[in-house]
Amino acid sequence: MHLIFGHLEPEVMDKIKDIANKLVEVKNWPAFSAGDTISVSYTIKEGAKERIQTFQGVVIQRRGSGTAETFTIRKMSSSIGVERIFPLSSPFLEEIKMVKRGSVRRARIFYLRELTGKAARIKEKMNFKKK
Amino acid sequence: MPGLIGRKVGMTSIYSAAGKNIPCTIIEAGPCVVTQVKTLEKDGYEAVQLGYGDRKEKRTSQAMKGHFKKAGTSPKRKLAEFKGFDQELALGDEVKIEDIFKEGEYVFVVGKSKGKGFQGVVKRHGFGGVGQATHGQHNRLRAPGSIGAASYPARVFKGMRMAGQMGNVRVTVENLEVLKVMPEDGLIVIKGAVPGHKGSTVLIRK
């Protein structure tokens, strides 16, 4: 790797990403996007003890790219909305399971925060592709 | 203290063994060439001058060309002196990153901070400003306030913090942890931020 003195080559940002990819491992998760309901298992440490917890909810956004990518999932916990943000590259993530594919029209479905009950349902995505 | 000359590549974040996300700076350090060895008898003190980065032949003065010829290297862009190397260094030797830095060590990084131009006291010195937009304030939201007393001392003390040029000065950041040394790429990963913009020259020393 070499940079020209005085000004930066245009690929410098790519280089930073390359190095970040080398240093941080992003596991192979199933593809999911906003609107999908997923179940995330992650380890939590309580002092010396370690245990696995799951969090199931609707993905309301994915943001960032490469090793810095995060996703936010929202669930209703006894009529109170709870959101959690996970880095995709977090070493604490154990498993991401697809529960339901949702059909939504945008990449960030923040409008879901204002909706409750029946209005907060998301249509399931149907696969009409011929087999 | 032993060190190397390098260039800031940029920032990213990595995970520690405990799973914490740590912000870090990637620096391309070295390889540097020994361009001069200063000795007690000849120069009055001991030091090693290192050179880093290539400079065009035609942009190098005759005097400097002679200096580089003596060391048997091509003209270098940046020269800096370091001392206290563990190994014996001779003229023309190449110093690499793995010779000097180890993971877990603490280093000092010297660079030229990003220039912010002429800035007021709120940004430059962290003053609070007036803090009120109403109650008779006009045009004074970010003003410094009083800069001293009246007929005694009848002057403004030296060093009074005021508006002026901010940034574009040499800054040393002390005790930054070396998270990783990547000899095959010539890179070093340092915890935290380092002065200067991407691509700017930095000195790393122990």
Side-chain angles (χ1 to χ4, degrees):
Chain A
M1 200 192 86
H2 194 76
L3 309 165
I4 302 166
F5 255 104
H7 62 91
L8 289 165
E9 288 167 9
E11 322 85 71
V12 163
M13 284 316 288
D14 294 342
K15 271 171 187 159
I16 297 168
K17 273 184 186 161
D18 284 349
I19 297 159
N21 286 337
K22 230 183 213 182
L23 295 172
V24 181
E25 181 206 8
V26 184
K27 292 174 199 158
N28 243 336
W29 302 119
F32 62 89
S33 58
D36 296 347
T37 306
I38 58 171
S39 153
V40 178
S41 312
Y42 54 97
T43 41
I44 52 171
K45 277 182 186 157
E46 287 170 331
K49 270 193 282 182
E50 255 186 35
R51 62 191 179 86
I52 290 177
Q53 211 168 56
T54 54
F55 191 98
Q56 182 173 333
V58 181
V59 180
I60 61 170
Q61 72 164 337
R62 283 180 75 146
R63 74 181 286 285
S65 65
T67 55
E69 187 169 354
T70 64
F71 61 93
T72 308
I73 46 181
R74 178 183 172 85
K75 75 167 176 187
M76 296 302 286
S77 175
S78 50
S79 81
I80 294 168
V82 179
E83 284 180 18
R84 269 206 75 142
I85 302 166
F86 293 99
L88 261 185
S89 56
S90 168
F92 293 117
L93 288 187
E94 292 294 327
E95 196 186 8
I96 298 178
K97 239 190 285 176
M98 175 68 66
V99 178
K100 205 165 82 180
R101 288 204 165 275
S103 165
V104 287
R105 292 190 169 192
R106 50 212 73 223
R108 292 172 185 198
I109 49 170
F110 297 145
Y111 65 81
L112 214 61
R113 287 171 178 161
E114 269 78 58
L115 304 178
T116 50
K118 277 189 171 181
R121 287 174 303 177
I122 290 174
K123 238 195 204 166
E124 194 161 354
K125 201 184 236 171
M126 297 299 176
N127 198 355
F128 293 116
K129 262 185 202 164
K130 277 179 198 164
K131 275 171 191 166
Chain B
M1 293 293 107
L4 275 182
I5 314 168
R7 285 155 52 67
K8 180 171 167 178
V9 177
M11 288 192 74
T12 182
S13 65
I14 63 173
Y15 289 94
S16 71
K20 275 206 168 149
N21 196 351
I22 305 168
C24 58
T25 310
I26 299 162
I27 297 172
E28 183 196 61
C32 294
V33 180
V34 178
T35 48
Q36 195 183 358
V37 179
K38 299 203 169 177
T39 55
L40 206 57
E41 303 87 64
K42 212 171 157 194
D43 307 283
Y45 65 103
E46 296 217 345
V48 174
Q49 189 190 63
L50 298 181
Y52 170 74
D54 285 324
R55 182 194 283 275
K56 273 186 182 171
E57 192 91 18
K58 73 172 181 186
R59 295 216 176 278
T60 313
S61 71
Q62 286 299 325
M64 289 312 285
K65 268 184 200 165
H67 184 69
F68 291 117
K69 205 176 161 192
K70 224 175 178 180
T73 66
S74 57
K76 295 293 171 201
R77 190 74 176 227
K78 175 82 186 169
L79 299 176
E81 268 180 30
F82 297 95
K83 56 186 173 182
F85 285 93
D86 296 334
Q87 62 272 49
E88 201 68 35
L89 290 173
L91 219 55
D93 279 1
E94 199 169 69
V95 188
K96 283 193 174 135
I97 193 161
E98 59 266 34
D99 305 336
I100 297 176
F101 299 112
K102 277 195 249 359
E103 278 165 34
E105 276 179 344
Y106 287 85
V107 292
F108 288 19
V109 179
V110 184
K112 202 169 211 188
S113 62
K114 281 181 183 172
K116 310 279 187 212
F118 192 101
Q119 291 297 334
V121 289
V122 174
K123 189 182 175 82
R124 192 170 181 226
H125 298 299
F127 283 17
V130 167
Q132 272 185 327
T134 58
H135 292 292
Q137 305 299 340
H138 171 66
N139 283 349
R140 301 201 45 79
L141 272 178
R142 297 172 72 89
S146 167
I147 54 168
S151 52
Y152 183 78
R155 64 191 176 91
V156 174
F157 289 123
K158 268 188 179 177
M160 182 64 59
R161 292 174 297 167
M162 291 192 187
Q165 163 71 32
M166 185 183 174
N168 198 18
V169 289
R170 183 187 163 99
V171 176
T172 307
V173 185
E174 300 179 355
N175 293 325
L176 297 172
E177 194 184 342
V178 177
L179 295 176
K180 254 192 174 67
V181 178
M182 301 157 77
E184 66 279 8
D185 302 309
L187 300 171
I188 183 169
V189 180
I190 286 172
K191 184 175 172 181
V194 152
H197 53 77
K198 285 175 205 151
S200 66
T201 311
V202 290
L203 309 181
I204 315 166
R205 64 182 171 82
K206 278 191 210 172

